Every structure is written in C-alpha cells, then in structure tokens.
C-alpha cells in the first residue's frame, strides 16, 4: 500500500488544478485551498487517511469514469471527505463537510456543487446511501471502501495503519471497538452498492474482514 511520502505530489496538484479550472474556481483561492489540503492530509498521525488514500480514490474514479455522471462532484468529495481526521473526535465527517462548504465558497464555485459534495462526505460517517438524488453517491462510497476487497497483504497493511491511527487507544479497547465495526459491516446484506463492485470485491472483502475479526479475538 502506498504511503504519503511515495505519492507524486505533482500529479495530485495537477489533478486539483484541472478539477478547479473545470468549474471556473478562483485560481488564487484554489491554490490556497490546495495548500491547506496538503497540510491536513500530511499530518503525521495519518497512517492511512492521508494523500495516498486520496490518490487511490482519484485513480479509481478515473478507472470508473464511464459510470460517473458528475465527475466534479465525485472528485471534490474525494478531496474533502477526510480533510478533518482526528481519531479523538466523533464528528470528523460533519467537520469535513463544513470545511468543504467553506472552501467551495471561497473558490467562488457555483452553489449547486456544494450540497451534493457535502452529502457525499456526510454519507461516509455510516457508509449508507441516504441521498438517492445524488447518482454517484453509491459508487463514491464503494470506492472509499474498496480497500476492504484488496489482496490479503494490502489489507493487512491497511488494518495495521488503522491501528496506528488509534495508537492512543488501549489494546483491549481497540480490539472490542474495531471488532464491533467489522461485525456491523459483515451483518450487511452487501458491503458494496454497485453491481460491479459487488462482483469484483465483495467475496474478498468478507474474507479479509473475517480474518481480521479472528485476529482481533472477536470472532
């Protein structure tokens, strides 16, 4: 799994500039937001929710572009959805959505972009589709959880990175809490919403979650 240090910042910056230019964002404001995004996603406590995660989602969006109706909404949601990430907090998604709203206003974006981006970010709190009027929300959520269906070694690195982000939590407390999260996922009829993600990732994702649950001693 990529780390933040191995990410091509020039590629990310080009993606950001192309996105913001496509919606006629104020260039100076877009540059300022880019610098803030870079600062937030480079925070040292982030072992998974960093620039490598953003880059992975942007590449997935490219791969699935023929299935995406509003690419600008999906890409802004990707950039903003974890901009606030503090494992001591319970409202990171709400804070990230508000941060996104302020950033989009600062860049003078057309207001119609703001609600769907905020809704996509908010939906990552529970990973449920509660805004059916946003056509790309199911795929956005699936891309965010695609790591669950990764190869075993990649998934193991991901689970270790999540543990590192909660290093301040006592081991037994982490095992119980992480176990509950995994059990909640496994109880869902499907981990993914889109047929293509179900077909390609569901089986491996459930296998990975089962293995981690056993390793946590919660199975």
């Amino acid at each position: 799994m990529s780390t933040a240090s191995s990410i091509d910042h020039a590629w990310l910056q080009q993606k950001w500039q192309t996105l913001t230019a496509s919606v006629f964002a104020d260039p100076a404001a877009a540059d300022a937001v880019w610098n803030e995004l870079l600062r937030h996603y480079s925070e040292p406590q982030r072992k998974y929710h960093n620039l490598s995660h953003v880059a992975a989602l942007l590449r997935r969006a490219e791969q699935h572009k023929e299935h995406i109706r509003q690419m600008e909404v999906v890409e802004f949601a990707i950039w903003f959805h974890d901009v606030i990430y503090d494992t001591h907090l319970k409202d990171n998604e709400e804070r990230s959505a508000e941060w996104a709203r302020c950033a989009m206003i600062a860049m003078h974006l057309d207001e119609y972009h703001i609600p769907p981006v905020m809704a996509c970010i908010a939906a990552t709190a529970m990973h449920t589709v509660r805004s059916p009027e946003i056509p790309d929300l199911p795929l956005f959520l699936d891309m965010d959880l695609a790591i669950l269906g990764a190869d075993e070694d990649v998934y193991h690195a991901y689970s270790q990175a999540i543990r590192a982000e909660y290093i301040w939590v006592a081991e037994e407390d982490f095992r119980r809490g992480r176990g509950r999260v995994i059990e909640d996922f496994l109880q869902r009829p499907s981990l993914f919403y889109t047929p293509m993600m179900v077909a390609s990732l569901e089986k491996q994702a459930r296998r990975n979650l089962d293995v981690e649950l056993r390793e946590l001693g919660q199975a």
Side-chain angles (χ1 to χ4, degrees):
M1 182 173 61
S2 299
T3 62
S5 60
S6 69
I7 291 300
D8 186 344
H9 284 201
W11 178 81
L12 282 169
Q13 187 170 18
Q14 182 59 51
K15 289 288 292 182
W16 175 253
Q17 291 173 341
T18 299
L19 169 62
T20 54
S22 74
V23 293
F24 307 103
D26 176 83
D31 286 345
V33 172
W34 158 257
N35 288 329
E36 284 300 296
L37 287 168
L38 196 63
R39 181 176 69 83
H40 279 278
Y41 280 106
S42 299
E43 291 166 343
Q45 76 275 13
R46 294 172 181 255
K47 306 305 180 184
Y48 173 73
H49 294 89
N50 50 34
L51 287 172
S52 67
H53 178 52
V54 172
L57 292 188
L58 290 172
R59 294 191 188 281
R60 281 196 173 273
E62 285 185 351
Q63 293 168 3
H64 298 299
K65 61 184 178 181
E66 68 273 14
H67 301 288
I68 296 175
R69 298 187 192 179
Q70 294 179 297
M71 182 62 81
E72 71 279 5
V73 168
V74 172
E75 289 196 345
F76 275 123
I78 288 171
W79 279 106
F80 293 140
H81 79 290
D82 284 324
V83 66
I84 304 300
Y85 187 75
D86 182 342
T87 55
H88 293 82
L89 301 176
K90 301 295 186 183
D91 60 348
N92 285 302
E93 296 84 7
E94 181 181 342
R95 291 170 183 253
S96 294
E98 176 59 18
W99 198 99
R101 184 185 72 83
C102 294
M104 289 186 284
I105 290 173
M107 290 188 292
H108 301 160
L109 267 60
D110 286 337
E111 289 186 1
Y112 70 83
H113 287 107
I114 298 177
V117 172
M118 293 184 69
C120 285
I121 296 169
T124 63
M126 300 299 294
H127 272 272
T128 55
V129 175
R130 295 181 178 176
S131 301
E133 72 278 5
I134 302 174
D136 297 313
L137 179 55
L139 180 55
F140 167 71
L141 292 177
D142 282 358
M143 291 191 297
D144 192 36
L145 286 186
I147 186 67
L148 300 184
D151 291 341
E152 291 179 9
D153 57 337
V154 176
Y155 182 87
H156 180 71
Y158 152 76
S159 65
Q160 293 298 107
I162 296 299
R163 179 64 183 107
E165 291 183 337
Y166 285 87
I167 191 63
W168 56 273
V169 178
E171 182 65 22
E172 188 58 34
D173 291 339
F174 178 82
R175 286 174 179 269
R176 283 196 299 267
R178 179 68 176 169
R180 285 194 296 269
V181 170
I182 293 174
E183 287 172 347
D184 286 345
F185 274 124
L186 288 173
Q187 288 171 7
R188 296 187 179 196
S190 176
L191 295 168
F192 302 99
Y193 291 102
T194 58
M196 62 182 175
M197 290 293 205
V198 171
S200 62
L201 299 177
E202 184 81 18
K203 185 176 180 180
Q204 181 64 35
R206 288 188 176 275
R207 183 181 298 116
N208 287 333
L209 291 171
D210 280 331
V211 169
E212 184 180 1
L213 195 61
R214 288 197 297 272
E215 290 175 346
L216 290 168
Q218 302 298 308

